[in-house]
């Protein structure tokens, strides 16, 4: 893991809470000795053995020069054995801080070459990735970089600075050796705050409403020695559901020195030279803009593979003549930023050329208009896939009793979301509607959905509104629409969903309206689903109660209008048990009973499992009947045709 390094000196203003424990030459201490001279911090010196605190020999410090902070003048060479974690607690040569105040500790250390630096919170939580270190190989030189194993190439007399929180413990040491220690400084304010820009490259741009993808907020942040060829968004962070994957599985992604983006300190991602990464956005999003904050992942004094640039971004190849080269290095104050517009992409690609590149990606996204949601429930529509047509009309897609369709030009199209056909709503100088035939719905919640897109090669995108209109006594009521939506593509289908809630039984037409003066639109896979409602069979809401008795004069007709037209346009079955007395027939909007001769006839209508019987008594013309007369089991006494006498 590579951490933030830099050159800075530390001084403390008298206005902030602070305290120092500076070891002096010839100072002696005992194993496990507690240093409490700094308010808010207790330092426990190393124990004698890795797992034995009982023996207490003395240790003695020798004069030494710290190459970073001249206040540190002597260091202990360590006491006892090498560090070891036993029963969840570190023993041996480890320096343990127990803190009662939030603040920052600067530890003066002597770190031998090829020894792994360790900084842990509460014995087990590795926090080295959040620390700032300055570990030069000689006085006056810049800090060495920690290797993947958190080691330096040459022995260093330097410092490690880290944040501490009240109520926690912190241990610093190196594995496999006894780390030397100069003492420490404590302050409640960040001692490096004024110098941060000297060692943390800062992006001066602000990225509002975008997602910053860095090693800091992806899934592998904080793991010791982390390398991977894929890093994924960490749960609960801004990068959730994003992933960054290296194409060449033989190489690895890892952390690079920090950047400041949107005024936050984030760890950059190291991209090996010549390699490509693929950034995948969440499934419900599409990327519209990519900003890459980058620098060559070397110091300017050691750069050899110049120029450094991105040789490919989102499938477009570049050369040094067609794209700006990367001009900043680790020790530059400000990194380079490349901004690329994206055509609503699900994946973004970057290929580095030249030196290894350290980068942070900032991705702007929109909700994915092409995401399809599966809706549970009972399907109520027929021919929602527009596969069935008769006389150039999509079956069921026309008003029967209202004018909800308003003369729209509706044609069959071979561009289909599924199957072989969709319906095309022609765009005109006035709004035009596609309407489904009347549906009588039980009270409940319904989900009206459909797929839509512009016609192939359209240069102008259509706009639509969708919803329903109630039907009252065969007349349209007030149209209820969603807000206007502009169809985003002529190549991809988008799903649109409307939630309809009815507090009582309702007759409606479902609608999709083409907004005037825009463009033709294609509709497919229309659906109306419910989990707690359903269709009312018109026989369930019949004009007569079951087994009602109706009086009618011979030669007259009884026309029984449907409250809502049945699917298929006709009643499944209508029969008379005495056709010499009365006959019955059904059309798309009514049952018609014809009285032929005096007598009695039972007319039975059956539709989708619902049966109703009407008992007709046919009277000779001129025969009277008391209007107050009632008949057992009837809805009421109906003198159908009385007005004809």
């Amino acid at each position: 893991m590579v951490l933030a390094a830099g050159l800075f000196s530390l001084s403390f203003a008298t206005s902030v809470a602070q305290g120092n424990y500076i070891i002096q030459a010839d100072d002696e201490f005992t194993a496990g000795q507690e240093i409490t001279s700094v308010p808010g911090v207790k330092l426990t010196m190393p124990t004698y053995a890795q797992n034995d605190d009982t023996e207490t020999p003395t240790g003695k410090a020798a004069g030494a020069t710290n190459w970073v902070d001249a206040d540190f003048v002597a260091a202990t060479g360590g006491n006892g054995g090498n560090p070891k974690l036993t029963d969840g607690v570190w023993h041996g040569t480890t320096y343990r801080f127990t803190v009662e105040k939030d603040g920052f500790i600067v530890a003066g250390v002597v770190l031998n070459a090829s020894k792994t630096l360790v900084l842990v919170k509460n014995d087990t939580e590795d926090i080295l990735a959040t620390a700032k270190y300055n570990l030069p190989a000689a006085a006056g030189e810049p800090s060495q970089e920690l290797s993947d194993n958190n080691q330096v190439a040459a022995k260093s007399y330097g410092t490690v600075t880290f944040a501490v929180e009240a109520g926690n413990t912190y241990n610093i040491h190196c594995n496999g050796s006894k780390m030397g220690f100069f003492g420490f400084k404590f302050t409640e304010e960040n001692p490096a705050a004024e110098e941060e820009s000297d060692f943390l490259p800062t992006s001066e741009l602000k990225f509002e409403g975008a997602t910053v993808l860095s090693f800091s907020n992806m899934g592998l942040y904080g793991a010791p020695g982390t390398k991977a060829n894929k890093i994924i968004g960490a749960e609960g962070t801004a990068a959730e559901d994003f992933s960054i994957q290296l194409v060449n599985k033989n190489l690895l992604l890892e952390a690079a020195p920090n950047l400041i983006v949107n005024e936050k300190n984030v760890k950059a991602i190291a991209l090996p030279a010549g390699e490509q990464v693929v950034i995948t956005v969440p499934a419900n999003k599409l990327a519209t803009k990519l900003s890459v904050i980058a620098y060559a992942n070397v110091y300017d004094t050691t750069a050899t593979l110049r120029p450094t640039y991105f040789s490919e971004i989102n499938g477009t190849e570049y050369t040094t003549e067609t794209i700006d080269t990367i001009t900043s290095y680790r020790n530059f104050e400000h990194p380079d930023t490349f901004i690329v517009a994206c055509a609503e992409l699900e994946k973004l690609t970057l290929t580095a050329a030249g030196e290894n590149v350290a980068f942070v990606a900032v991705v702007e996204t929109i909700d994915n208009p092409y995401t399809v949601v599966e809706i549970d429930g009972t399907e109520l529509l027929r021919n929602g896939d527009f596969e069935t047509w008769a006389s150039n009309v999509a079956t069921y897609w026309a008003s029967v009793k209202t004018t909800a369709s308003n003369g729209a030009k509706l044609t069959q199209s071979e561009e289909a979301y599924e199957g072989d056909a969709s319906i095309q709503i022609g765009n005109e100088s006035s709004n035009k509607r596609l309407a489904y035939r009347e549906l009588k719905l039980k009270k409940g919640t319904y989900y009206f959905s459909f797929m839509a897109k512009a016609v192939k090669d359209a240069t102008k995108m259509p706009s639509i509104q969708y919803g329903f209109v109630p039907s009252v006594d065969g007349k349209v009521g007030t149209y209820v629409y969603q807000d206007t939506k502009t169809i985003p593509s002529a190549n991809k289908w988008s799903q649109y969903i409307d939630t309809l809630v009815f507090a009582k039984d309702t007759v409606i037409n479902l609608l999709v309206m083409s907004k005037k003066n825009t463009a033709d639109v294609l509709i497919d896979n229309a659906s109306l689903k419910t989990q707690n409602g359903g269709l009312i069979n018109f026989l369930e809401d019949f004009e007569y109660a079951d087994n009602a008795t109706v009086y009618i004069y011979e030669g007259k007709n009884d026309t029984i209008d449907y409250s809502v037209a049945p699917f298929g346009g006709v009643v499944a079955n209508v029969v008379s048990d005495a056709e010499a007395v009365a006959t019955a027939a059904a059309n798309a909007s009514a049952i018609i009973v014809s009285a032929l001769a005096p007598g009695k006839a039972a007319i039975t209508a059956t539709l989708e499992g619902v049966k109703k019987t009407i008992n007709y008594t046919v009277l000779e013309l001129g025969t009277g009947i008391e209007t107050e007369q009632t008949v057992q089991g009837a809805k009421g006494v109906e003198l159908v045709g009385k007005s004809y006498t």
Side-chain angles (χ1 to χ4, degrees):
M1 179 180 293
V2 183
L3 304 177
L7 292 171
F8 60 95
S9 61
L10 300 174
S11 60
F12 295 86
T14 58
S15 60
V16 298
Q18 61 183 19
N20 301 338
Y21 171 63
I22 307 295
I23 293 176
Q24 303 295 318
D26 299 327
D27 278 356
E28 294 185 355
F29 60 90
T30 59
Q33 179 179 341
E34 295 180 350
I35 308 298
T36 59
S37 58
V38 177
V41 180
K42 178 179 71 175
L43 168 65
T44 302
M45 297 298 285
T47 57
Y48 173 60
Q50 295 178 4
N51 54 7
D52 184 1
D53 294 344
T54 59
E55 299 183 49
T56 56
T58 58
K60 192 171 185 179
T65 299
N66 188 290
W67 296 332
V68 174
D69 189 340
D71 291 343
F72 293 124
V73 294
T76 172
N79 187 53
N82 294 337
K84 182 178 181 181
L85 185 65
T86 303
D87 296 329
V89 179
W90 282 100
H91 297 264
T93 303
T94 182
Y95 302 90
R96 185 178 186 88
F97 300 92
T98 304
V99 299
E100 298 175 356
K101 294 181 179 181
D102 293 350
F104 295 84
I105 286 177
V106 180
V109 300
V110 182
L111 181 62
N112 287 329
S114 303
K115 298 300 180 182
T116 298
L117 179 64
V118 175
L119 176 63
V120 292
K121 177 181 178 180
N122 297 328
D123 291 294
T124 58
E125 181 184 349
D126 176 36
I127 62 168
L128 187 54
T130 65
K132 299 177 179 66
Y133 62 85
N134 197 343
L135 300 170
E141 292 187 3
S143 178
Q144 302 173 86
E145 289 297 334
L146 290 179
S147 69
D148 298 328
N149 296 322
N150 297 329
Q151 299 176 356
V152 290
K155 184 175 182 179
S156 181
Y157 294 76
T159 59
V160 178
T161 303
F162 53 98
V164 295
E165 297 175 335
N168 295 282
T169 62
Y170 300 83
N171 284 67
I172 188 169
H173 55 256
C174 64
N175 285 339
S177 181
K178 295 178 281 294
M179 187 177 76
F181 186 67
F182 285 92
F184 72 97
K185 297 180 177 182
F186 173 76
T187 177
E188 291 184 79
E189 291 188 1
N190 188 347
E194 295 183 0
E195 292 80 13
E196 274 197 349
S197 63
D198 292 338
F199 66 98
L200 290 179
T202 303
S203 173
E204 296 180 321
L205 300 176
K206 294 293 186 293
F207 302 93
E208 302 296 336
T211 301
V212 177
L213 303 179
S214 67
F215 208 88
S216 298
N217 67 358
M218 301 296 278
L220 297 182
Y221 173 62
T226 297
K227 282 186 175 183
N229 52 44
K230 184 175 184 180
I231 52 180
I232 58 176
E235 184 177 356
T237 73
E240 186 174 3
D241 296 330
F242 281 82
S243 71
I244 298 177
Q245 186 164 13
L246 193 64
V247 172
N248 187 341
K249 302 295 178 63
N250 295 322
L251 296 175
L252 296 170
L253 294 167
E254 56 187 311
N258 292 20
L259 291 166
I260 295 179
V261 181
N262 283 353
E263 299 180 347
K264 292 184 178 180
N265 187 348
V266 296
K267 194 165 296 299
I269 300 169
L271 175 59
E275 267 307 305
Q276 182 183 86
V277 291
V278 176
I279 300 170
T280 303
V281 303
N284 62 339
K285 299 288 185 181
L286 290 176
T288 56
K289 187 165 77 171
L290 169 65
S291 301
V292 184
I293 307 164
Y295 60 88
N297 195 18
V298 291
Y299 290 102
D300 57 340
T301 56
T302 58
T304 58
L305 299 176
R306 300 296 291 167
T308 301
Y309 63 100
F310 289 107
S311 59
E312 186 271 341
I313 301 177
N314 294 340
T316 302
E317 295 184 357
Y318 297 97
T319 67
T320 55
E321 297 178 351
T322 58
I323 193 172
D324 291 337
T325 58
I326 296 174
T327 60
S328 60
Y329 305 86
R330 285 190 186 188
N331 52 331
F332 276 27
E333 184 174 356
H334 299 295
D336 295 306
T337 300
F338 300 83
I339 299 177
V340 181
C342 305
E344 298 182 354
L345 298 177
E346 299 175 353
K347 295 181 182 292
L348 308 169
T349 58
L350 291 166
T351 303
E355 303 282 359
N356 293 358
V357 174
F359 76 97
V360 168
V362 183
V363 182
E364 293 186 19
T365 61
I366 60 171
D367 291 336
N368 187 347
Y370 312 115
T371 299
V372 176
V373 177
E374 294 296 329
I375 302 172
D376 294 330
T378 302
E379 179 60 68
L380 303 181
L381 298 191
R382 300 189 183 186
N383 197 33
D385 56 7
F386 300 97
E387 298 295 309
T388 304
W389 292 69
S391 301
N392 296 318
V393 175
T395 304
Y396 304 118
W397 288 93
S399 298
V400 175
K401 301 175 70 66
T402 71
T403 57
S405 294
N406 82 324
K409 182 181 179 182
L410 306 174
T411 56
Q412 187 178 25
S413 171
E414 294 181 355
E415 291 187 69
Y417 176 72
E418 290 180 334
D420 298 319
S422 66
I423 193 167
Q424 182 171 336
I425 308 175
N427 190 257
E428 301 179 34
S429 58
S430 60
N431 296 335
K432 293 297 179 181
R433 294 184 295 270
L434 166 69
Y436 193 79
R437 71 180 310 147
E438 288 74 16
L439 295 167
K440 187 158 191 178
L441 304 176
K442 299 175 183 179
K443 69 177 182 179
T445 301
Y446 298 81
Y447 302 96
F448 174 38
S449 65
F450 57 92
M451 305 300 296
K453 80 175 192 71
V455 298
K456 185 178 180 181
D457 299 325
T459 57
K460 186 177 183 179
M461 293 297 105
S463 294
I464 62 170
Q465 286 186 283
Y466 52 94
F468 71 96
V469 61
S471 175
V472 182
D473 297 328
K475 297 180 180 180
V476 296
T478 301
Y479 293 92
V480 180
Y481 286 121
Q482 287 284 331
D483 293 338
T484 298
K485 303 290 192 300
T486 298
I487 306 298
S489 176
N491 300 313
K492 295 182 180 181
W493 292 84
S494 300
Q495 184 185 45
Y496 297 89
I497 302 174
D498 193 7
T499 302
L500 313 177
V501 180
F502 300 112
K504 62 180 181 179
D505 296 349
T506 306
V507 179
I508 67 166
N509 293 99
L510 296 172
L511 304 169
V512 179
M513 182 173 67
S514 172
K515 298 287 286 184
K516 63 182 180 181
N517 300 322
T518 57
D520 288 8
V521 63
L522 300 176
I523 306 296
D524 204 357
N525 281 40
S527 170
L528 182 69
K529 288 187 176 181
T530 183
Q531 295 179 4
N532 60 1
L535 289 174
I536 296 176
N537 185 313
F538 89 97
L539 289 180
E540 295 180 274
D541 192 33
F542 208 42
E543 181 178 341
Y544 300 121
D546 192 25
N547 285 313
T549 295
V550 176
Y551 291 83
I552 186 171
Y553 290 111
E554 61 180 325
K556 303 300 181 182
N557 294 331
D558 186 11
T559 301
I560 309 167
D561 288 329
Y562 303 157
S563 59
V564 60
F567 282 121
V570 295
V571 173
N573 192 26
V574 181
V575 296
S576 170
D577 69 350
E579 291 190 347
V581 176
T583 60
N587 61 32
S589 60
I591 295 174
I592 301 173
V593 178
S594 299
L596 303 178
K600 294 185 178 182
I603 305 297
T604 301
T606 305
L607 175 63
E608 295 181 342
V610 178
K611 176 190 282 188
K612 289 292 178 70
T613 299
I614 314 165
N615 299 303
Y616 280 90
T617 298
V618 180
L619 304 175
E620 183 179 351
L621 275 174
T623 302
I625 187 170
E626 296 296 329
T627 57
E628 295 82 6
Q629 182 177 350
T630 61
V631 179
Q632 184 67 29
K635 177 180 177 182
V637 176
E638 304 285 348
L639 286 177
V640 177
K642 180 179 180 180
S643 60
Y644 301 141
T645 60

